[in-house]
Amino acid sequence: MLDVIDGPVDPLALIYERIVAGHRRRQLGTFFTAPSVLAYIRRVLDKSLPSTPATVVDPGAGVGAFTTAALEWWPAACVHAVDVNLVTLGLLAARPKKIQHNPGDSFRSQLKIRHQDFLDWLTVTWPGQSRPRLILGNPPYTRHQQLSFADKMRAQEACGDLAPGLRAGLSTYFLAAGLRSLGPQDSLCLLIPFNWLEADYGKSIRSHLWKSVNRRVELHLFSNQEGIFPGAQVGAMVVFVGPRTHKREPMEVHHVTGNLADGFSVSESLSLTRKGVTPQSFTAESWARPNKDSQYVRASEVPLGELVHIRRGVATGANRFFLRSWSEWQRVGVSQTVRAISRLRDLSSDVLDIEAHDSLSQAGLSCWLLSLTEDSASDAAISSLLEEGIRDEINERYLCRTRKPWYVLERIVPPDLLIGPMGKQGFRIVVNSVGAIPTNTLYGMRMRKRGDTGASARRLAEWMGSPSGQEALRARARRHGDGLLKLEPGSLATVLIPRHVVEP
């Protein structure tokens, strides 16, 4: 049994998967790091870490893949395994070799197992640890929807001026707080999702890394097709930040290919000199095709973000309550609604006009959005509807309970164009001539110049739907499992549009 546990496949991870339900593991953001991924990270550290760490902390240690590795790589280091999950910490403590005390085994005295929130530990315990220190691990991939507002506020406080936006997941908070806590001799190496590279909530982190020119920064981007976490579609990367030096250090971007069985290696690298304005995103496309602040943008092209305002649609928090068909609203006697759209595949053409929207209504589709004010509750039909929502605990859902009052949705200006952010072959572009309000399953684009808006929007939609436009959109998209493409608002804004499209 001991030989099995010390083998290449970690059976403690398998035990955890057996005793903790899958949906619960996803809520906790628990994913296990394969030996081949650890081997790649070891090579990164061997090359870029200038000295042996005296202290290593594994944030969200889980069953201890990084903890065990750190004990083996640096036997003299004090290694802290920090996690709020008692189950995984118990499995970590149960490891029979190297971790558990055996006669003549010095590792036990070097290991500190901490049942504690890493962000609290970082504030209280980290400052007193011996230097140089290293933050090393695979933090929990808990999504922002699973974090309470109180949790986010505590995390924001721990991150200080590096605090990301409230849509950040837990791993991004760990990254921001870790970067903030680094002393001159300290380093950080984390295996995390790569959403923060282009999402709006990651701007503060990207700016910090871009301006930390005296620290070596490396971004190791695993191809979306690699699937480094078995059974999970999670795009991942390694971010390494070295100790402070007395010279200007590069930012290196490495593209990583390979597989779990045969291992991973760098297929392409780029060394960047950090000068000027922080790039809008840290994606491969942003390095390959400069952003709007770059001197290399051709005069004949303009970034889409200079032409349109891009934003997600309205997040209701409960579409079944707020978004209904016209006949459903009539049955409950509610008329305070606006035309809406939640999916483009219901449309037979690429123009959403009154006739097209009426066709959705006649088909009984949910395309009318509740549009209330604080005073709307005085209406008898609205009051009855709200009582129904309270009985169904709609008001207690996350987004609803953060609104005051819970039933008043965000008001947005109707966009001129709609785009579906996900697809396999390409992306649907629709001219929104009826002024429908999109839900957050869609992005809306509103022309910045409000002159001949309709004609400009139609020309832009026609080009974006053309083979050239679709190729440009696909180049900016993130690739997920099963060939699925996804555009984020930040990457969409960097798509270069021929000027003649909107300036004929």
Side-chain angles (χ1 to χ4, degrees), residues 221-285:
L221 311 176
F222 288 86
S223 169
N224 290 348
Q225 286 82 16
E226 306 307 344
I228 69 171
F229 298 113
Q233 296 295 337
V234 179
M237 62 165 295
V238 172
V239 55
F240 171 82
V241 180
R244 194 175 298 163
T245 69
H246 297 291
K247 62 179 182 178
R248 180 179 287 271
E249 298 284 351
M251 172 181 281
E252 294 186 354
V253 182
H254 303 282
H255 300 280
V256 183
T257 58
N259 56 67
L260 293 176
D262 301 322
F264 297 90
S265 61
V266 173
S267 62
E268 184 181 358
S269 297
L270 185 65
S271 184
L272 304 167
T273 300
R274 288 172 280 176
K275 292 182 179 180
V277 178
T278 305
Q280 190 170 22
S281 69
F282 280 5
T283 59
E285 293 79 12

Side-chain angles (χ1 to χ4, degrees), residues 144-145 167 310-320 322-323 339-344 366 369 397-400 403 409-410 412 415 418-422 436-445 486-489 492:
H144 80 91
Q145 295 94 335
R167 293 180 65 85
I310 303 170
R311 61 153 298 154
R312 297 177 190 271
V314 173
T316 68
N319 275 1
R320 289 186 179 180
F322 291 99
L323 187 69
R339 294 179 186 269
I341 184 74
S342 61
R343 58 189 191 188
L344 302 182
S366 299
L369 186 68
R397 296 193 181 187
Y398 174 70
L399 289 179
C400 297
R403 295 195 293 256
L409 300 177
E410 176 187 17
I412 68 171
L418 303 166
I419 180 171
M422 304 184 75
I437 300 299
T439 62
N440 66 340
T441 53
L442 303 173
Y443 300 158
M445 295 179 284
K486 182 179 181 182
L487 280 166
E488 296 292 344
L492 179 59

Side-chain angles (χ1 to χ4, degrees), residues 139-217:
Y141 287 18
T142 309
R143 296 180 177 181
H144 80 91
Q145 295 94 335
Q146 273 81 52
L147 299 175
S148 69
F149 183 74
D151 289 338
K152 291 183 179 184
M153 290 300 98
R154 287 193 295 270
Q156 293 272 318
E157 184 177 357
C159 297
D161 57 356
L162 293 188
L166 293 178
R167 293 180 65 85
L170 189 57
S171 63
T172 307
Y173 282 114
F174 277 29
L175 171 61
L179 290 171
R180 185 193 184 211
S181 72
L182 294 183
Q185 304 175 59
D186 301 331
S187 301
L188 174 147
C189 186
L190 294 179
L191 175 64
I192 57 177
F194 52 47
N195 308 64
W196 67 274
L197 293 172
E198 58 184 342
D200 285 344
Y201 63 71
K203 284 182 179 178
S204 58
I205 300 173
R206 295 195 296 271
S207 177
H208 175 80
L209 292 176
W210 188 255
K211 295 175 182 177
S212 299
V213 296
N214 297 121
R215 289 186 186 269
R216 183 182 186 88
V217 174

Side-chain angles (χ1 to χ4, degrees), residues 33 78 112 183 246 258 266 325 336 345 352 382 385 387 415 459 471 486:
T33 308
C78 181
K112 310 296 180 184
H246 297 291
V266 173
S325 68
Q336 297 182 41
R345 66 174 180 268
L352 179 56
I382 298 294
L385 177 71
E387 289 176 3
R459 288 195 300 270
E471 181 182 358
K486 182 179 181 182

Side-chain angles (χ1 to χ4, degrees), residues 62-110:
V63 296
F66 281 93
T67 296
T68 305
L71 290 168
E72 294 177 350
W73 298 345
W74 307 293
C78 181
V79 179
H80 297 258
V82 184
D83 206 315
V84 296
N85 189 338
L86 272 176
V87 176
T88 55
L89 285 179
L91 292 171
L92 169 58
R95 288 181 182 271
K97 286 188 178 180
K98 298 179 179 153
I99 299 288
Q100 192 176 37
H101 177 64
N102 285 312
D105 186 353
S106 63
F107 282 170
R108 180 68 173 183
S109 62
Q110 298 302 111

Side-chain angles (χ1 to χ4, degrees), residues 432-468:
N432 183 27
S433 63
V434 77
I437 300 299
T439 62
N440 66 340
T441 53
L442 303 173
Y443 300 158
M445 295 179 284
R446 187 168 185 267
M447 303 300 296
R448 291 183 182 272
K449 293 183 178 180
R450 303 306 298 171
D452 188 9
T453 302
S456 297
R458 286 192 296 273
R459 288 195 300 270
L460 181 57
E462 183 178 354
W463 183 85
M464 293 178 72
S466 72
S468 296

